[in-house]
Amino acid sequence: MRVRIAIGALVILSGSLLLTGCSSFGHVKMNQKSNDKSSKISSSTDSSRKASEAAESSKEAVQAQGKKYTYGLPYGPSWLYLYSHGENTGVHFLPNKYAVAKVGENDKIFFSGTLPLVGKVKTSEEDIKSTDATMDDKDKFQRQLDLLFEINDNTLKVEFDRLNNIDNHAVAKQAFTDNIKYLSAVSTNDSKKLPNQSEDLKDSLSGDSWQDDAKDKYQVIEQYYSKDETQVTDGNDDDHTYVTTDSDSETPTTQLEIHIYAKVKVTDIDKDKPRTSSDEKIGNSYLRLIPYALTYDLVSGNKWQLRDDTAGVDSDYELDTSGTSWISQKY
């Protein structure tokens, strides 16, 4: 009898343990499902909150822009684009008519573009300033954009003095090569020796050759180019390399002015010059350091073409090129 009771107690006790164990495992599964559900609700709440914040931020950005108008841009070079809040609007200047851009009245704008050898350039960022369109223009745009840059006859004039992306070695090479060709043409008064046959460059040569015969012969000994002169901050310094969008032509022309120096052997070959002493004999030679300003036009094919080569005041003294900014070429 005691044995049966013990066995029965054992069976009851085991069953109780089994039930307790099943109940415990079942409780774990129920908690896992509950946690998954809570996680999904939390994730959904976070997504909704982020979406709401993004929508609010977008709304604030639109409000910050103010009312949007169509703005007329002055005539200018087609490589120069309008940026609003750092983003390219896709609108660029046009050489013979207004370009039209739609931006907010409170936008911050600047203009930027890329040029051969020079690389990317940009203006400083500024607030939008404008006036009402005239009666003749109001069918094209609502407001006329007023820029901080100088505008001549509604044509943009802007100068880029800090050329941070310029290929200095390529620029120096082009200037050195063209200057030698130009001086060869001056030495013989032969326009066929010029770097190109544009009318502007031929006119430049005729200005350096006062009569049919050449006055001096130029032999270039060495040429120098300073990388520092592409980073000028003083607007009163004219002896530096820079880009400008203005010219004397009928349509806006982008120009690059490169400044170099040349050590030159100058030989007097002027047959018509009056001579009063043996020091002024024909054929006499002397060394001079001469600064040159070479002006280039941006022409079709996105290339620079020499327009003018102007000599500055010469010197009897050597140029100090001990710094690291100089690029030089001996001949």
PDB file of all heavy atoms in Angstrom, residues 217 265-268 281-287:
ATOM      1  N   LYS A 217      65.635  93.755 -82.153  1.00  0.00           N
ATOM      2  CA  LYS A 217      65.543  92.308 -82.231  1.00  0.00           C
ATOM      3  C   LYS A 217      65.577  91.761 -80.811  1.00  0.00           C
ATOM      4  O   LYS A 217      66.420  92.159 -80.007  1.00  0.00           O
ATOM      5  CB  LYS A 217      66.715  91.745 -83.045  1.00  0.00           C
ATOM      6  CG  LYS A 217      66.705  90.223 -83.167  1.00  0.00           C
ATOM      7  CD  LYS A 217      67.916  89.745 -83.972  1.00  0.00           C
ATOM      8  CE  LYS A 217      67.938  88.231 -84.065  1.00  0.00           C
ATOM      9  NZ  LYS A 217      69.130  87.750 -84.817  1.00  0.00           N
ATOM     10  N   LYS A 265      67.673  89.590 -74.492  1.00  0.00           N
ATOM     11  CA  LYS A 265      68.784  90.290 -75.141  1.00  0.00           C
ATOM     12  C   LYS A 265      68.195  91.131 -76.265  1.00  0.00           C
ATOM     13  O   LYS A 265      67.629  90.608 -77.230  1.00  0.00           O
ATOM     14  CB  LYS A 265      69.794  89.294 -75.708  1.00  0.00           C
ATOM     15  CG  LYS A 265      70.992  89.950 -76.395  1.00  0.00           C
ATOM     16  CD  LYS A 265      71.950  88.900 -76.941  1.00  0.00           C
ATOM     17  CE  LYS A 265      73.127  89.553 -77.650  1.00  0.00           C
ATOM     18  NZ  LYS A 265      74.047  88.529 -78.225  1.00  0.00           N
ATOM     19  N   VAL A 266      68.323  92.439 -76.122  1.00  0.00           N
ATOM     20  CA  VAL A 266      67.738  93.369 -77.090  1.00  0.00           C
ATOM     21  C   VAL A 266      68.852  93.916 -77.972  1.00  0.00           C
ATOM     22  O   VAL A 266      69.842  94.469 -77.468  1.00  0.00           O
ATOM     23  CB  VAL A 266      67.005  94.525 -76.387  1.00  0.00           C
ATOM     24  CG1 VAL A 266      66.332  95.429 -77.421  1.00  0.00           C
ATOM     25  CG2 VAL A 266      65.978  93.985 -75.391  1.00  0.00           C
ATOM     26  N   THR A 267      68.686  93.779 -79.265  1.00  0.00           N
ATOM     27  CA  THR A 267      69.680  94.270 -80.224  1.00  0.00           C
ATOM     28  C   THR A 267      69.069  95.381 -81.062  1.00  0.00           C
ATOM     29  O   THR A 267      67.979  95.233 -81.621  1.00  0.00           O
ATOM     30  CB  THR A 267      70.160  93.141 -81.150  1.00  0.00           C
ATOM     31  OG1 THR A 267      70.701  92.076 -80.360  1.00  0.00           O
ATOM     32  CG2 THR A 267      71.223  93.645 -82.115  1.00  0.00           C
ATOM     33  N   ASP A 268      69.779  96.495 -81.138  1.00  0.00           N
ATOM     34  CA  ASP A 268      69.318  97.661 -81.906  1.00  0.00           C
ATOM     35  C   ASP A 268      69.524  97.391 -83.398  1.00  0.00           C
ATOM     36  O   ASP A 268      70.652  97.234 -83.869  1.00  0.00           O
ATOM     37  CB  ASP A 268      70.125  98.889 -81.468  1.00  0.00           C
ATOM     38  CG  ASP A 268      69.672 100.163 -82.167  1.00  0.00           C
ATOM     39  OD1 ASP A 268      68.835 100.072 -83.095  1.00  0.00           O
ATOM     40  OD2 ASP A 268      70.149 101.243 -81.780  1.00  0.00           O
ATOM     41  N   LYS A 281      75.640 102.649 -81.734  1.00  0.00           N
ATOM     42  CA  LYS A 281      75.851 102.010 -83.026  1.00  0.00           C
ATOM     43  C   LYS A 281      74.778 100.963 -83.288  1.00  0.00           C
ATOM     44  O   LYS A 281      74.323 100.278 -82.376  1.00  0.00           O
ATOM     45  CB  LYS A 281      77.224 101.336 -83.078  1.00  0.00           C
ATOM     46  CG  LYS A 281      78.390 102.299 -83.204  1.00  0.00           C
ATOM     47  CD  LYS A 281      79.691 101.529 -83.315  1.00  0.00           C
ATOM     48  CE  LYS A 281      80.876 102.484 -83.468  1.00  0.00           C
ATOM     49  NZ  LYS A 281      82.165 101.737 -83.575  1.00  0.00           N
ATOM     50  N   ILE A 282      74.395 100.854 -84.542  1.00  0.00           N
ATOM     51  CA  ILE A 282      73.471  99.798 -84.919  1.00  0.00           C
ATOM     52  C   ILE A 282      74.108  98.443 -84.643  1.00  0.00           C
ATOM     53  O   ILE A 282      75.293  98.234 -84.880  1.00  0.00           O
ATOM     54  CB  ILE A 282      73.078  99.925 -86.406  1.00  0.00           C
ATOM     55  CG1 ILE A 282      71.896  99.001 -86.715  1.00  0.00           C
ATOM     56  CG2 ILE A 282      74.251  99.664 -87.322  1.00  0.00           C
ATOM     57  CD1 ILE A 282      71.257  99.264 -88.078  1.00  0.00           C
ATOM     58  N   GLY A 283      73.364  97.547 -84.066  1.00  0.00           N
ATOM     59  CA  GLY A 283      73.881  96.237 -83.719  1.00  0.00           C
ATOM     60  C   GLY A 283      74.263  96.105 -82.260  1.00  0.00           C
ATOM     61  O   GLY A 283      74.571  94.992 -81.797  1.00  0.00           O
ATOM     62  N   ASN A 284      74.241  97.207 -81.519  1.00  0.00           N
ATOM     63  CA  ASN A 284      74.549  97.127 -80.088  1.00  0.00           C
ATOM     64  C   ASN A 284      73.469  96.319 -79.354  1.00  0.00           C
ATOM     65  O   ASN A 284      72.281  96.406 -79.680  1.00  0.00           O
ATOM     66  CB  ASN A 284      74.616  98.530 -79.471  1.00  0.00           C
ATOM     67  CG  ASN A 284      75.950  99.214 -79.754  1.00  0.00           C
ATOM     68  OD1 ASN A 284      76.855  98.591 -80.319  1.00  0.00           O
ATOM     69  ND2 ASN A 284      76.062 100.479 -79.375  1.00  0.00           N
ATOM     70  N   SER A 285      73.917  95.553 -78.355  1.00  0.00           N
ATOM     71  CA  SER A 285      72.982  94.705 -77.602  1.00  0.00           C
ATOM     72  C   SER A 285      73.081  94.980 -76.109  1.00  0.00           C
ATOM     73  O   SER A 285      74.131  95.428 -75.618  1.00  0.00           O
ATOM     74  CB  SER A 285      73.272  93.224 -77.868  1.00  0.00           C
ATOM     75  OG  SER A 285      73.097  92.894 -79.223  1.00  0.00           O
ATOM     76  N   TYR A 286      72.005  94.690 -75.391  1.00  0.00           N
ATOM     77  CA  TYR A 286      71.988  94.843 -73.935  1.00  0.00           C
ATOM     78  C   TYR A 286      70.917  93.910 -73.372  1.00  0.00           C
ATOM     79  O   TYR A 286      69.972  93.525 -74.073  1.00  0.00           O
ATOM     80  CB  TYR A 286      71.700  96.291 -73.543  1.00  0.00           C
ATOM     81  CG  TYR A 286      70.506  96.904 -74.236  1.00  0.00           C
ATOM     82  CD1 TYR A 286      69.235  96.832 -73.691  1.00  0.00           C
ATOM     83  CD2 TYR A 286      70.661  97.559 -75.476  1.00  0.00           C
ATOM     84  CE1 TYR A 286      68.138  97.384 -74.335  1.00  0.00           C
ATOM     85  CE2 TYR A 286      69.564  98.115 -76.123  1.00  0.00           C
ATOM     86  CZ  TYR A 286      68.314  98.027 -75.551  1.00  0.00           C
ATOM     87  OH  TYR A 286      67.231  98.566 -76.196  1.00  0.00           O
ATOM     88  N   LEU A 287      71.096  93.512 -72.111  1.00  0.00           N
ATOM     89  CA  LEU A 287      70.143  92.631 -71.444  1.00  0.00           C
ATOM     90  C   LEU A 287      69.120  93.457 -70.667  1.00  0.00           C
ATOM     91  O   LEU A 287      69.475  94.431 -70.006  1.00  0.00           O
ATOM     92  CB  LEU A 287      70.863  91.673 -70.491  1.00  0.00           C
ATOM     93  CG  LEU A 287      71.728  90.585 -71.124  1.00  0.00           C
ATOM     94  CD1 LEU A 287      72.447  89.789 -70.038  1.00  0.00           C
ATOM     95  CD2 LEU A 287      70.885  89.655 -71.981  1.00  0.00           C
TER      96      LEU A 287
END
